[in-house]
Amino acid sequence: MSQRTPKYTGVVPPIVTPLDTNGEVDTVSLERLVGSLLDAGVSGIFALGSSGESAYLTDAQRDTVLDTVVGAVSGRVPVMAGCIETTTNRVVERAEAAAKHGADALVVTAPFYTRTHPAEIDRHFRAVRHRTEPPILAYDVPVSVHSKLSADEVLRLAADGVVDGIKDSSGDDPGLRDLVIGAREIPGFSVLTGHEAVVDAMMLMGVDGAVPGLGNVDPAGYVRLMEACLAGDWETARHEQERLIRLFRIVRAADPATAGGSTAGLGAFKCALALLGVIDDPVPAPPMRPFTDEETWRVRTILEEVGLL
């Protein structure tokens, strides 16, 4: 077996998309956010993912996000672009746009809304690969697309050169373990976890890096966590991970009677970033709503408790 040399490693935050009070992309805040992530030492940036509200944005807004992020990064780290669409041809359109706007890699889910067979999911990824140039990372997020990518499916695609990595947000830890084991035979394949609360455990399992939404709020904390894991300093890693878990409680600040899961998570990240002065407004895309004063106070209290304010 060849020594593994995964292309994508470290901390790759799925960057949020700041919006202004008119609902348009706030490019100044987005550039400031990119700067804060780079200053913290992240290894890459994933634009237009779930945390980036890709599903809520128009194509023109998505293009603005990519132009802004790619320009602000200026080649210092790879920029991954979410090409998250319902069907193959629509994904290819977004992939072509992402390449045109300078993305270094594409992130692609299984088709959704449509009822899809595993053979069709396989055909979907192969068609996108055939029709696009940049590397592709599969995005396993069954909570949103309602299909689970099995380890066997992903490894087959990887062995055939169709996908270059995976962002695993499935919550299926045994399945991820299978994937990590299989990836040992595919030296360049990257396994990234999207599970921000157990990065230390996933690194011990053998993943190559993390794509934590909470990394928007505390990128330096995730970089410290990653450095401790890579050094084999598991006690320091555990301490940092537990502090980040306390910070992650911000996603419970929203009133569940009036806010869904996306509002609770994305709203919390944006609320925290506004309190930290990184973005100007914590406005989410409709139909999500901004945090109330009471919810904002809850987020502020947690930021203070973990030493960010």
Side-chain angles (χ1 to χ4, degrees), residues 7 25 94 144 163 177 205 230 234 261 304:
K7 186 175 181 66
V25 178
R94 285 314 308 163
S144 296
V163 296
R177 189 67 179 266
M205 184 188 292
L230 292 173
W234 298 107
E304 291 172 347

Side-chain angles (χ1 to χ4, degrees), residues 251-291:
V251 304
R252 303 205 299 259
D255 181 355
T258 59
S262 292
T263 300
L266 304 181
F269 297 160
K270 285 190 166 184
C271 181
L273 286 166
L275 288 169
L276 293 168
V278 179
I279 67 174
D280 290 339
D281 295 292
V283 179
M288 295 185 288
R289 62 160 178 82
F291 273 27

